[in-house]
Amino acid sequence: MNISINNQNFTLHQSGAAFWEEKKILFISDLHLGKIAHFRKHGMAIPEKAVLENFARLNEVLNLFDSETIIFLGDLFHSKINNEWDFFADWTKTVSQQIILIEGNHDIISKKNYADLNIEIYEELIIDDFLLTHHPTTRENFFNFCGHIHPGIKLKGLGRQFLSLSCFFRKPHQLIFPSFGEFTGNFYLIPEENDQVYAITKEEVIEIKR
């Protein structure tokens, strides 16, 4: 799905990623690498191959867009280093794009580890009139790209049927990104009058009309 913000063009993808056409930047939020290994360590019956699904999805979306930079909007890694870090380190060697991390509350791994992979880390980043953060932030004269919340929407159908979907949640001066990672869950939001919701299905991103 294509949208325009501040006269710039963005493609919202059903993976939860978004591509800024003019700047050739791919945005991804809340990947939470390491979470699956953490669950498995504590006895949850998650197949080992699920660890690789995040990387397969990353590669899929990278192949779709002509990006020069990947910006992770926080919570790239879920917690302390585990064996998924090795998968991530190997993956970074396969991509040619510059990688930038906007630091999230889960990003507690030493900055040196990221520096060793040539990944730049910022608490926030300003590009033109866009403010990139992990936590939703309001700042005058800027449009905020952020994550953290893992936004979702519940749609009511006929009878008592409900459909729960991840979504991009747009406020007048903010776009909250869905979680890209597997097994991360959603926080369901209720749109206000000026909000726009772009729901994610398996095939596409669709705007939910009120």
Side-chain angles (χ1 to χ4, degrees):
M1 180 176 190
N2 298 317
I3 63 171
S4 177
I5 304 173
N6 293 354
N7 297 315
Q8 298 290 294
N9 297 297
F10 299 88
T11 301
L12 308 183
H13 187 258
Q14 60 263 30
S15 64
F19 180 61
W20 186 352
E21 295 180 12
E22 287 81 1
K23 300 290 187 181
K24 296 187 179 298
I25 296 174
L26 185 68
F27 294 101
I28 295 172
S29 188
D30 294 272
L31 187 51
H32 287 274
L33 292 174
K35 191 169 189 177
I36 295 173
H38 175 79
F39 283 163
R40 284 176 52 82
K41 182 179 178 181
H42 289 81
M44 293 189 69
I46 300 175
E48 186 174 4
K49 66 179 183 180
V51 171
L52 301 178
E53 288 179 6
N54 280 323
F55 297 100
R57 293 173 70 242
L58 280 171
N59 289 332
E60 180 182 357
V61 76
L62 279 175
N63 289 333
L64 286 174
F65 300 106
D66 182 27
S67 59
E68 296 177 353
T69 305
I70 306 167
I71 298 182
F72 291 102
L73 295 172
D75 289 358
L76 172 56
F77 211 85
H78 183 67
S79 186
K80 298 177 181 178
I81 284 182
N82 57 34
N83 63 355
E84 284 191 52
W85 178 264
D86 294 331
F87 288 113
F88 175 66
D90 289 340
W91 175 81
T92 63
K93 298 172 185 175
T94 68
V95 301
S96 59
Q97 292 86 348
Q98 177 189 19
I99 301 176
I100 294 173
L101 170 62
I102 307 299
E103 202 167 16
N105 52 295
H106 279 271
D107 293 311
I108 62 174
I109 292 174
S110 170
K111 290 181 173 60
K112 183 182 183 305
N113 291 86
Y114 288 106
D116 289 343
L117 301 179
N118 297 314
I119 296 174
E120 300 178 17
I121 301 181
Y122 300 91
E123 291 184 5
E124 65 178 42
L125 190 62
I126 291 174
I127 302 176
D128 296 343
D129 49 0
F130 290 86
L131 172 66
L132 314 180
T133 62
H134 177 62
H135 291 84
T137 304
T138 301
R139 191 173 303 171
E140 190 174 359
N141 299 322
F142 287 99
F143 192 98
N144 178 221
F145 281 175
C146 59
H148 182 63
I149 291 179
H150 305 188
I153 188 78
K154 289 189 175 182
L155 306 177
K156 185 177 181 180
L158 298 175
R160 296 184 178 180
Q161 294 176 327
F162 284 90
L163 179 63
S164 301
L165 297 171
S166 298
C167 68
F168 294 87
F169 198 90
R170 181 175 178 177
K171 293 180 171 293
H173 301 288
Q174 186 176 76
L175 183 66
I176 307 173
F177 279 65
S179 171
F180 189 92
E182 298 282 334
F183 302 102
T184 52
N186 287 327
F187 180 76
Y188 295 100
L189 300 174
I190 300 175
E192 298 178 353
E193 182 178 356
N194 294 318
D195 295 339
Q196 294 172 276
V197 175
Y198 308 112
I200 294 173
T201 73
K202 290 183 179 180
E203 294 79 24
E204 60 183 342
V205 177
I206 56 174
E207 183 173 1
I208 303 301
K209 302 290 186 180
R210 299 188 64 188

